Amino acid sequence: MKALLERLQPLGRALMLPIAVLPAAALLLRLGQPDLLDIAFMSAAGDAVFSNLGLLFAIGVAVGFARDGNGAAGLAGVVCFLIATEGAKALLVVPPEVVAGLPETAVALAEAAWRDGALARLSVPIGIISGLIAGDFYNRFSTLKLPEYLAFFAGRRFVPIVSGVAGLALAAIIGFGFSGISGAMDGFSRAIVGSGEVGLFLYGVLNRLLIVTGLHHILNNIAWFVIGDYQGVTGDLRRFFAGDPEAGAFMSGFFPVMMFGLPAACLAMYHAAKPERKKAVGGMLMSLALTAFLTGVTEPIEFTFMFLAPVLYAVHTVLTGAAMVIMSLLDVKLGFGFSAGLFDYVLNFNQSTRPLMLIPVGLVYFALYYGLFRLVIRWMDLKTPGREDEPMAASGAVQTTTSGGRGAAYLAALGGAANVESVDACTTRLRLILNDQSAVDEAGLKALGARGLVRPSDRALQVVLGPIADQVADEIRAALTAAPVAGAGNADDWLAALGGRSNVLSVERRDGRVLLRLKAVSGLDVAALKALGARGVAVTTVGAHLILGPRAEAVARDLAAAS
């Protein structure tokens, strides 16, 4: 199970890359509507994003799933998506009633429109599948070697080619099996929508429970981009912005929790803090509460009590499910382009159904969360912020005493460059693969501003930071590049293990590897290379590949300069 969770981490991260563009698209779409600024080209610009979400998912998922985020994976995702969709269209059989009674000149246009509409309903699933194929193929084939007469098509150039072949197979599956696939999707959507309040309750509960693993993004993608159908547009979120009056059921219930409930939890934690600690934690808790209220980003709050009080978090998940049910029973339909915060509430107010009902429901949730948190914190003597036995680091204040700034400080707390195999981020958390979890300084990470840590597997680590996660990930990558290589650590030692300076003809970095062309491979000392930090050594007929991970760039740079 842990191995499966580790393998699913890149998927959750990859799905967030295309979703990150939706707030801007939703803003353009709403501001351009007649009830706001009434600027047609602005509304059309926003609609262009929603109309091409499948393509965006193909690009974003491919880049996010590729081990180094290379653009070649995104190109491969586009190739796979276009071949799959256009190929499938050619295989679709248009029902006779679609063109019945039409003049001959209009038949071709009607058939094309029907095919476009039919495939549009599947565009997001096809985009996600295309992105996963392209990302996986990039990881497998981006360093592929071919015979010299085919060398132009080797490596990264091979990835779009093989992804296109996969797209052709995908087109055949969709085209020949369209009636079954479409029927299954319709049946699934009707079952979810038909489950009514029970389905909404389960969705709300599972959404909060899966936050622990970071896999709630997968569940959200089904609800927001697949379920339901309105004039050929699928998904609760997409249908809401397309004007479906029934859309919003899978979003409305988050507003009472994120705008009122969790900020009230912050107030309860502040009031429960020791008197001498209130000033120290007040700024942090106020920042978390405002972030949740304004933007709907709540994970930093949830991780302050998720592991301290699992029972309290279980109550939070049930209350989230209950909020979904309550808003549905009150026929409240709210939507968002980013999350359930004040900005989205105000922006989409005129497009919502009974939006003012949020106020009384929200106030009830504020009182409920505040009372529950005050009671449970006191009763169980929970060490929430401000109640710790030892003083904690100043709220959100990132300590950067380590030379090299914040990225270097985080890298040191993660056990150093040799311990970090990969660094990624989603909206609110770092997603890391480490060599040794025991080398992590948990207290040091919390002193740097981490709100919580999740270990989905023996090697996977998630560090909850809030909206700054992506910036911190970039800084850690920069620190990894600049970090000295573990082991004996200088270029002369590496050259000696490679058979001497004169034995090295060329040095090239490719992703996490250093590719070497040597005069004689017999001069290699594999044991010495591994002692210097190489994770693996692949010997070829003309040289060797050193597998180094994030440190490959620094090693290649030093070797090139020394040889």
Side-chain angles (χ1 to χ4, degrees):
M1 176 60 75
K2 287 188 174 182
L4 176 62
L5 289 175
E6 183 178 324
R7 289 180 62 84
L8 287 174
Q9 297 311 303
L11 176 58
R13 179 198 72 239
L15 289 172
M16 287 307 300
L17 189 57
I19 290 174
V21 77
L22 291 186
L27 185 65
L28 289 171
L29 181 62
R30 281 298 296 132
L31 289 178
Q33 295 292 317
D35 61 320
L36 292 178
L37 300 181
D38 194 16
I39 303 175
F41 83 89
M42 183 179 290
S43 178
D47 186 58
V49 174
F50 284 97
S51 299
N52 293 281
L53 274 180
L55 181 61
L56 293 178
F57 271 98
I59 299 169
V61 171
V63 172
F65 209 69
R67 61 172 172 264
D68 61 351
N70 193 277
L75 175 61
V78 172
V79 171
C80 184
F81 176 80
L82 293 178
I83 290 177
T85 52
E86 296 303 316
K89 286 179 187 178
L91 295 173
L92 296 183
V93 178
V94 180
E97 59 268 21
V98 172
V99 296
L102 293 177
E104 189 174 343
T105 54
V107 169
L109 290 175
E111 289 180 342
W114 184 87
R115 288 189 174 99
D116 288 342
L119 263 296
R121 298 177 64 244
L122 299 176
S123 64
V124 170
I126 294 173
I128 293 173
I129 293 171
S130 298
L132 291 174
I133 290 171
D136 182 63
F137 282 3
Y138 178 86
N139 293 338
R140 289 172 181 266
F141 302 122
S142 61
T143 58
L144 178 72
K145 298 292 184 182
L146 293 175
E148 188 172 345
Y149 60 90
L150 293 175
F152 178 81
F153 302 103
R156 291 172 183 162
R157 295 190 185 100
F158 183 75
V159 179
I161 297 172
V162 71
S163 297
V165 174
L168 196 62
L170 187 58
I173 294 171
I174 296 168
F176 290 118
F178 179 77
S179 60
I181 295 171
S182 179
M185 278 191 61
D186 288 342
F188 175 72
S189 294
R190 283 194 296 269
I192 296 295
V193 174
S195 65
E197 282 68 39
V198 173
L200 290 172
F201 177 79
L202 292 175
Y203 168 71
V205 170
L206 288 174
N207 180 278
R208 294 297 93 183
L209 284 177
L210 287 174
I211 279 183
V212 180
T213 62
L215 299 181
H216 57 300
H217 301 309
I218 300 174
L219 181 67
N220 289 339
N221 272 261
I222 296 172
W224 296 345
F225 302 114
V226 176
I227 291 175
D229 189 347
Y230 176 73
Q231 298 178 358
V233 177
T234 60
D236 201 48
L237 188 151
R238 297 174 72 194
R239 290 187 290 113
F240 179 85
F241 285 102
D244 184 357
E246 298 301 317
F250 289 90
M251 297 181 283
S252 304
F254 289 122
F255 283 87
V257 175
M258 295 181 175
M259 288 181 61
F260 295 89
L262 288 171
C266 288
L267 181 62
M269 287 188 277
Y270 172 74
H271 285 158
K274 296 176 181 178
E276 67 274 15
R277 301 284 297 123
K278 285 186 176 181
K279 185 176 180 180
V281 301
M284 177 192 72
L285 292 172
M286 174 65 74
S287 174
L288 296 179
L290 275 176
T291 299
F293 179 73
L294 295 175
T295 69
V297 175
T298 60
E299 286 187 25
I301 299 175
E302 289 161 321
F303 273 86
T304 61
F305 66 91
M306 181 183 292
F307 300 111
L308 282 173
V311 173
L312 194 56
Y313 191 78
V315 172
H316 166 56
T317 65
V318 172
L319 288 175
T320 302
M324 293 284 178
V325 174
I326 292 168
M327 298 297 267
S328 176
L329 292 174
L330 294 174
D331 194 30
V332 179
K333 298 293 189 298
L334 306 174
F336 50 73
F338 177 62
S339 191
L342 180 65
F343 293 149
D344 274 287
Y345 175 71
V346 172
L347 182 64
N348 301 310
F349 187 89
N350 291 340
Q351 194 159 330
S352 303
T353 302
R354 306 188 73 192
L356 288 176
M357 286 301 297
L358 172 65
I359 307 303
V361 175
L363 291 176
V364 170
Y365 260 68
F366 186 94
L368 193 58
Y369 268 74
Y370 180 83
L372 281 172
F373 271 71
R374 283 299 304 270
L375 175 66
V376 174
I377 289 171
R378 293 287 187 184
W379 174 47
M380 299 183 67
D381 191 24
L382 300 178
K383 301 305 180 183
T384 50
R387 293 175 59 82
E388 305 91 342
D389 295 326
E390 296 294 331
M392 58 181 258
S395 64
V398 176
Q399 312 299 318
T400 56
T401 54
T402 301
S403 176
R406 183 167 64 175
Y410 270 96
L411 187 58
L414 291 168
N419 195 41
V420 179
E421 184 168 321
S422 69
V423 181
D424 289 299
C426 62
T427 307
T428 58
R429 62 181 82 183
L430 298 175
R431 293 171 179 260
L432 307 145
I433 300 296
L434 306 177
N435 293 316
D436 182 7
Q437 292 268 21
S438 64
V440 175
D441 181 0
E442 187 169 337
L445 287 172
K446 290 183 176 179
L448 287 163
R451 310 300 184 197
L453 278 72
V454 181
R455 292 178 168 87
S457 74
D458 294 338
R459 300 178 66 232
L461 175 68
Q462 297 176 6
V463 182
V464 181
L465 297 176
I468 64 169
D470 197 52
Q471 300 171 27
V472 174
D474 286 339
E475 292 170 13
I476 293 174
R477 293 189 196 102
L480 276 168
T481 301
V485 179
N490 60 61
D492 289 338
D493 293 325
W494 285 91
L495 288 172
L498 293 169
R501 184 178 280 102
S502 61
N503 195 40
V504 180
L505 299 177
S506 68
V507 180
E508 177 189 356
R509 182 186 72 88
R510 187 170 297 172
D511 303 326
R513 301 185 177 202
V514 174
L515 278 56
L516 300 154
R517 194 162 63 90
L518 307 173
K519 281 184 180 179
V521 295
S522 59
L524 287 175
D525 186 341
V526 174
L529 289 169
K530 289 185 176 180
L532 287 165
R535 298 172 184 173
V537 180
V539 181
T540 68
T541 56
V542 295
H545 293 187
L546 305 183
I547 303 171
L548 294 167
R551 294 170 293 143
E553 184 175 352
V555 173
R557 183 184 60 236
D558 293 344
L559 285 174
S563 59

